[in-house]
Amino acid sequence: MSNHNNNPKSDKEPCMISCPVCNREFRNEAIENHVNKCLFLLNSQMEKTCKRDNSHLKENPLTPKRLKIETTLNSKDVTNEPHGSTSKNSCKTKSQEGIPLAEQLRPQQLDDIVGQIEAFGPGSMLRSVLEQKKIPNMILWGPPGCGKTSIANVVAHICKESSTLRFVKLSATMAGVNDVKEVVKIAKNEAQYKRQTVLFVDEIHRFNKLQQDSFLAHVENGTLILIGATTENPSFSLNNALLSRCRVVVLSKLTIDNILQILIRSVVRNKLAVLVDAEDMKQDLNESKDIPVIENKSLQWLAEVCDGDARIALGALELAITAARAQMKNNKNVSQVITLGDLQNGIKRSHVLYDRQGEEHYNIISAIHKSIRASDDNAALYWTTRALHSGEDPLYIARRLIRIACEDIGLRDQNAVVEAVACLQGCQHIGMPECDILLVQCAVSLARAPKSREVYEAMKRCQAFLSDTKGSLPAVPLHLRNAPTKLMKSLGYGKGYNLLHKNESGLNYMPEAMESVNFFQES
């Protein structure tokens, strides 16, 4: 296969590769997809002209050429250099211009994955399978910036190194059923050459239930190996039929040490800046004139405020380094120092993981409720303040506090529900940020109040009794029925009713045959 790099040109020109089918030239990153389409169209034309003599079952003469093409592409794209290392190839440097730092630092090998030791660490089952170049159907579930797409990038490089695997990436935010059908169509053609297609669908929860069903048959028969990435709970956002065909891999939020390791790796391997301590600042400033200088404590602070999101941390670092280089360009021979203050000015508040419609929303509210139930006023204050700090609707918190006042405090302190309703009304009148103290004070008051779940438990037992009742429910006794008309009075409605206490009236207020049932006492 001819490669445009054999005739070196100016560094300003991109790397171009000729297609062996149509002889047109394409960029390095687009040539593989184009070759696949060319071969697919060529094979489709050959099948149409093939006679019904089983000649289509014979070995395709293009197969050796196809494998040679892809082997050359794979050997060019996959290198043994450490992840994030810079290459002397000017074409590769040019192709990375304009690409965000977080995208440039995608890991290419299993050893490059930071964090997620339990799922992909040494000795784990998934790592052992991937090392054998066996790709299972799996759903990667975790918070933003924890490494879902990076793991898929490692799988993509495994596919490039294998002659029997092919990697395709779709984003559910832009793709639809027609795109999936196109991938399946090409995958079936690839299967004739004993190549299996690995389909990565980013944000797979964006597909509705009908769109998700389009994967089922093809995952079942092995036409596709599906890898999905989602930030939403798969139990709620994905079909049960799809989940039964895939392994759900739970990815945890990256720790501060994980984020710091990623930041240091990005700075050192890509030579973005010189890492220094505050004590060695003057010496390092004299030695560094070409790239900025950044303090170690600045990276430590950045790792602490990004809330486990590596993408946020790398984006902030890239912004700071870009600004520093711009100032160095204007003031030549002057080293630019990226201090902790510079980063703090660039990031006005810490990034807090929270989704008012997602699972974290319900997790925080559950933490508030359980803390109040356990009479932990300190935890109730923390979780309520954290919910407000993350942008939760204050009226939603106030409504939940009313529920807590009735469910967990009940009759032990009947002023609790009055206070919770007053809190809701106060929040409606003054809004945020002034209503924050109302919510926190109400939460702490409910946590310190005496608790009684007597009414709540009695209600649950009554609901269970009604659900378990077979046949029709018992009728209302005649003496308890309303009698607004003469006909109803003549039928005995309301007959014998009096205003006395139940112990003095001689009347029974429960349905017939339920006189001895008491929901306030456990059976």
Side-chain angles (χ1 to χ4, degrees):
M1 180 177 65
S2 63
N3 191 319
H4 196 70
N5 289 338
N6 293 334
N7 298 318
K9 295 183 180 180
S10 174
D11 290 344
K12 298 182 179 179
E13 296 185 13
C15 289
M16 306 295 288
I17 299 178
S18 298
C19 173
V21 180
C22 64
N23 293 325
R24 296 170 59 189
E25 292 187 341
F26 292 86
R27 291 180 180 272
N28 180 23
E29 58 269 16
I31 183 63
E32 184 173 0
N33 290 335
H34 172 75
V35 170
N36 289 338
K37 291 181 179 179
C38 270
L39 289 171
F40 173 71
L41 294 175
L42 183 61
N43 292 334
S44 299
Q45 294 176 358
M46 292 178 61
E47 290 176 1
K48 291 180 181 179
T49 58
C50 182
K51 297 181 181 180
R52 297 183 178 179
D53 56 356
N54 292 332
S55 62
H56 61 286
L57 299 178
K58 298 178 181 179
E59 184 178 0
N60 195 314
L62 287 175
T63 303
K65 186 177 182 180
R66 179 185 182 89
L67 291 178
K68 182 179 180 181
I69 294 167
E70 290 164 350
T71 302
T72 309
L73 288 175
N74 293 341
S75 63
K76 185 180 188 308
D77 293 339
V78 180
T79 64
N80 293 324
E81 297 179 4
H83 167 59
S85 61
T86 56
S87 173
K88 296 181 180 180
N89 191 339
S90 60
C91 294
K92 182 177 180 180
T93 304
K94 288 292 180 180
S95 65
Q96 289 186 346
E97 290 183 357
I99 300 177
L101 180 61
E103 188 65 27
Q104 295 180 28
L105 291 172
R106 296 284 186 203
Q108 300 180 4
Q109 308 294 333
L110 288 168
D111 292 333
D112 294 332
I113 297 176
V114 177
Q116 314 307 339
I117 300 298
E118 184 176 350
F120 293 95
S124 63
M125 183 180 67
L126 283 175
R127 186 186 181 100
S128 301
V129 172
L130 293 177
E131 286 175 346
Q132 300 176 21
K133 293 183 172 52
K134 303 291 184 181
I135 315 297
N137 295 299
M138 53 185 173
I139 302 295
L140 305 176
W141 172 33
C146 70
K148 300 183 294 297
T149 309
S150 295
I151 292 172
N153 194 66
V154 172
V155 174
H157 280 78
I158 293 176
C159 294
K160 286 184 178 180
E161 294 173 349
S162 173
S163 61
T164 59
L165 293 173
R166 173 175 168 270
F167 187 87
V168 179
K169 179 179 179 180
L170 289 180
S171 175
T173 58
M174 299 189 305
V177 174
N178 290 335
D179 299 289
V180 176
K181 290 181 178 178
E182 184 67 22
V183 171
V184 171
K185 189 176 181 180
I186 299 177
K188 290 181 178 179
N189 180 72
E190 293 285 340
Q192 298 180 11
Y193 307 104
K194 298 182 179 180
R195 294 189 76 204
Q196 201 166 15
T197 299
V198 179
L199 174 61
F200 172 62
V201 182
D202 199 9
E203 306 293 340
I204 192 172
H205 61 273
R206 298 288 184 181
F207 277 156
N208 57 39
K209 303 296 184 181
L210 182 61
Q211 290 173 313
Q212 292 175 24
D213 285 340
S214 62
F215 295 113
L216 296 178
H218 310 298
V219 173
E220 183 75 24
N221 60 27
T223 301
L224 294 178
I225 297 176
L226 178 64
I227 301 177
T230 177
T231 57
E232 303 292 335
N233 192 326
S235 301
F236 306 131
S237 60
L238 299 183
N239 287 348
N240 290 332
L242 187 60
L243 288 178
S244 68
R245 292 164 172 80
C246 302
R247 174 190 173 92
V248 177
V249 182
V250 181
L251 304 180
S252 57
K253 185 189 299 185
L254 295 178
T255 64
I256 295 176
D257 291 337
N258 295 150
I259 299 294
L260 185 60
Q261 180 183 350
I262 293 173
L263 292 175
I264 294 176
R265 175 186 296 181
S266 65
V267 170
V268 174
R269 290 189 177 182
N270 292 276
K271 298 181 180 179
L272 299 177
V274 177
L275 283 176
V276 298
D277 293 323
E279 300 80 19
D280 303 330
M281 181 69 69
K282 294 183 179 180
Q283 178 181 354
D284 290 304
L285 282 176
N286 296 329
E287 297 177 356
S288 174
K289 295 296 183 181
D290 299 329
I291 58 178
V293 175
I294 186 170
E295 297 179 4
N296 286 316
K297 64 180 182 180
S298 300
L299 293 185
Q300 178 69 30
W301 178 85
L302 186 57
E304 293 172 354
V305 301
C306 65
D307 196 33
D309 192 329
R311 190 182 292 106
I312 293 291
L314 290 172
L317 176 64
E318 184 178 20
L319 181 63
I321 291 177
T322 302
R325 286 186 171 179
Q327 294 181 12
M328 292 179 65
K329 186 176 182 181
N330 295 332
N331 301 320
K332 294 183 178 179
N333 299 325
V334 176
S335 296
Q336 184 64 34
V337 180
I338 303 175
T339 63
L340 177 59
D342 295 333
L343 285 178
Q344 291 175 337
N345 291 332
I347 306 176
K348 294 301 181 183
R349 69 186 291 268
S350 64
H351 172 71
V352 179
L353 173 66
Y354 200 77
D355 183 0
R356 290 172 61 173
Q357 301 298 327
E359 185 186 18
E360 194 68 10
H361 159 81
Y362 297 103
N363 290 341
I364 297 293
I365 292 299
S366 177
I368 294 175
H369 193 155
K370 290 179 171 63
S371 299
I372 293 175
R373 178 181 295 162
S375 298
D376 190 335
D377 53 354
N378 188 57
L381 184 147
Y382 170 78
W383 291 116
T384 305
T385 306
R386 174 168 164 176
L388 293 171
H389 180 71
S390 303
E392 181 58 81
D393 182 7
L395 298 182
Y396 177 78
I397 300 176
R399 289 192 294 268
R400 288 303 300 257
L401 292 178
I402 296 175
R403 167 72 184 197
I404 295 170
C406 293
E407 178 180 332
D408 292 285
I409 298 173
L411 299 179
R412 288 292 300 274
D413 186 355
Q414 298 185 36
N415 290 326
V417 67
V418 177
E419 181 180 355
V421 172
C423 176
L424 173 62
Q425 293 175 343
C427 292
Q428 291 172 334
H429 283 299
I430 65 176
M432 282 292 287
E434 286 80 5
C435 72
D436 54 358
I437 185 60
L438 295 179
L439 292 167
V440 173
Q441 178 175 307
C442 183
V444 172
S445 177
L446 295 180
R448 293 179 178 179
K451 306 298 189 295
S452 172
R453 291 169 60 86
E454 180 186 14
V455 175
Y456 175 74
E457 297 294 346
M459 180 190 68
K460 298 296 289 184
R461 284 192 284 267
C462 184
Q463 291 173 343
F465 179 87
L466 293 172
S467 299
D468 296 339
T469 300
K470 297 180 180 180
S472 59
L473 295 174
V476 179
L478 288 176
H479 61 273
L480 295 181
R481 299 186 186 185
N482 188 27
T485 65
K486 290 183 179 180
L487 175 62
M488 299 172 75
K489 289 181 180 179
S490 65
L491 294 175
Y493 283 30
K495 184 178 180 179
Y497 174 73
N498 57 61
L499 302 177
L500 300 177
H501 188 273
K502 69 171 186 175
N503 295 334
E504 302 175 2
S505 65
L507 300 176
N508 185 30
Y509 290 84
M510 289 293 285
E512 185 178 358
M514 290 184 59
E515 293 84 358
S516 61
V517 176
N518 187 353
F519 296 110
F520 286 96
Q521 297 178 355
E522 291 190 47
S523 58

